[in-house]
Amino acid sequence: MKISKLATVAALALASFAALALASSAAFAQTIKIGFITSYSGLNGNLGPYMERAVRLYIKMHEKELPPGVKIELITRDDTGPNPDKAKQLAQELVVREKVNLLAGVVFTPNAMAIAPIATEAKVPFVIMNAGTAVITTRSPYIARTSFTLWQSSYPLGQWASKKFKTGYTLVSDFGPGHDAEEGFTKAFTEGGGKMLGNVRVPLQNPDWAAYMQRVKDAKPDTLMVFIPAGKTATAVMKNFTELGLDKAGIKLIGPGDITTDEELPNMGDVALGVTTMFHYSAAADRPANKAFVEAWKKEYGANETPNFLSAGSWDGTAMIVEAIKQQKGKLDPDKTMEIFKNWKFANSPRGPISIDPETRDIVQNEYLREVRKVGGQLANVEIETFATALKDPWKELQKKK
Ligand code: PHB
């Protein structure tokens, strides 16, 4: 009796041990964990869901392409807006406690910069799906970016503007991407023969718009180039520009597409009409891959919902991750993953053909000249011209020549 009971217990223990070992090795091999950090609260905290929804939608629509038994688990965290300390702490926890295979997301540059050393130390590939300051990708060999750089939009914008306007002024949020937008635009505009009448950097949070806009109005430039982070801040700029009469003073508002971000157009209203921007993504673009993307988005999230450029960067970043999982049959090695990222090309992105520059791990993409117009009674960023094709980050190209 005693002996047989013991044997049963031992057999049971062995069986459950074996089952556990099997389950945990299967789980290890078959669940890819992505630690996804973005902003769900704080400054422009409405932007996070535009990223997360794109990731979830891509996974849902492409899950069946994954190797048999392989699953992707998305572990989301709120960095509360531009908050590098918080972002760093979240990345650390995701790496140490959750043992994520990849880090991804991030709206804001300071947060991406704070996470970079953790990606390096832990050898965890980090896919940047928004933050756009040029230097970020140089901060870790484990970073690849699927979004954009501000130089990529502002430099060609300056080239275009120098043919249209004699004098210019810049107004930018006083942090990394703002500095890049100011420098990229100014370089191209002055190289093209334009004259800068001034530049002003405004606090990232709650600037006194009236004071800054008045300064620009007094200088009477032909054009004002603005960069502010997309989201509600873009609408604040648009309204203040008009309310303070800069449009009536004959000043033409231009910028990278952050200032006419697709999801805010309905909140801006007709004051946005005619604003010209340079950017890589518009929800109104009529290429088939974008039409399919926007349609899938509306089907999943509602007819009145629109993806924006943060969604496009996140959608494509997820496509890149899925490709790395497929090529490695579900077992991710960080260095092999980076090799796959570096050679990644995607002909079917909603924004047109894109690739990763193997030398810099940064995005290569087209830049479109756009104008806000009414299409079917609704404001839209209408692409007028492909201004630059397969453009690499101009800042990095200039660094190479130095
Ligand atoms: C950034 O912090 O890099 C950033 C944030 C919002 C944007 C663009 C860039 O619209």
Side-chain angles (χ1 to χ4, degrees), residues 107-109 130-133 148 150 175 177 227-230 258 309:
V107 176
F108 290 103
T109 289
N130 187 65
T133 303
F148 56 89
L150 265 306
F175 75 132
F227 167 80
I228 38 73
D258 309 71
F309 68 92

Side-chain angles (χ1 to χ4, degrees), residues 44 47 82 106-112 128 130-134 136 145 147-150 175-178 204 227-231 257-259 261 279 309-310:
N44 298 334
L47 293 177
V106 190
V107 176
F108 290 103
T109 289
N111 300 10
I128 295 190
N130 187 65
T133 303
I136 294 173
R145 172 157 50 196
S147 50
F148 56 89
T149 77
L150 265 306
F175 75 132
L204 183 53
F227 167 80
I228 38 73
D258 309 71
I259 67 167
T261 182
F279 219 34
F309 68 92
L310 295 101

Side-chain angles (χ1 to χ4, degrees), residues 210-396:
Y212 294 111
M213 290 288 179
Q214 190 59 46
R215 200 187 297 183
V216 176
K217 195 176 170 188
D218 292 343
K220 296 190 179 67
D222 295 333
T223 187
L224 171 65
M225 195 275 325
V226 174
F227 167 80
I228 38 73
K232 302 289 167 205
T233 318
T235 302
V237 163
M238 204 59 72
K239 298 218 149 135
N240 279 285
F241 182 84
T242 319
E243 271 163 27
L244 296 160
L246 278 79
D247 55 342
K248 295 223 174 60
I251 302 168
K252 180 91 169 89
L253 178 63
I254 62 173
D258 309 71
I259 67 167
T260 58
T261 182
D262 292 310
E263 83 288 1
E264 282 295 319
L265 289 177
N267 298 332
M268 290 177 187
D270 287 357
V271 296
L273 276 172
V275 173
T276 306
T277 53
M278 189 71 75
F279 219 34
H280 58 282
Y281 180 72
S282 163
D286 55 14
R287 67 191 69 83
N290 186 54
K291 290 212 143 168
F293 174 54
V294 174
E295 197 182 306
W297 189 278
K298 288 183 182 296
K299 192 170 161 221
E300 185 74 9
Y301 300 120
N304 290 326
E305 299 291 322
T306 315
N308 60 12
F309 68 92
L310 295 101
S311 315
S314 306
W315 173 266
D316 292 336
T318 312
M320 184 172 80
I321 290 171
V322 165
E323 181 59 27
I325 296 172
K326 285 197 317 202
Q327 283 194 29
Q328 294 175 87
K329 303 193 168 52
K331 283 206 168 184
L332 292 195
D333 168 82
D335 295 302
K336 277 190 203 138
T337 299
M338 290 312 300
E339 276 312 304
I340 294 165
F341 287 174
K342 283 185 205 174
N343 292 293
W344 188 65
K345 289 183 174 54
F346 190 29
N348 245 342
S349 163
R351 62 185 118 163
I354 59 172
S355 64
I356 299 293
D357 178 355
E359 262 181 80
T360 63
R361 292 163 278 98
D362 220 335
I363 185 85
V364 182
Q365 62 191 341
N366 295 347
E367 286 293 326
Y368 306 97
L369 183 71
R370 310 108 45 90
E371 190 181 285
V372 179
R373 292 180 185 165
K374 273 213 171 130
V375 179
Q378 308 220 315
L379 296 176
N381 285 299
V382 176
E383 291 178 358
I384 303 168
E385 182 193 336
T386 304
F387 191 85
T389 305
L391 185 68
K392 291 185 181 181
D393 173 33
W395 182 77
K396 292 191 186 67

Side-chain angles (χ1 to χ4, degrees), residues 19 21 23 60-61 72 105 118 120 123 166 171 178 186 202 219 237 294 298 328 335-336 338 364 376-377 402:
K60 187 175 172 185
M61 292 175 71
I72 299 176
I118 294 169
T120 308
K123 293 192 179 218
K166 289 200 177 69
L171 183 155
T186 301
V202 311
V237 163
V294 174
K298 288 183 182 296
Q328 294 175 87
D335 295 302
K336 277 190 203 138
M338 290 312 300
V364 182
K402 278 188 185 162

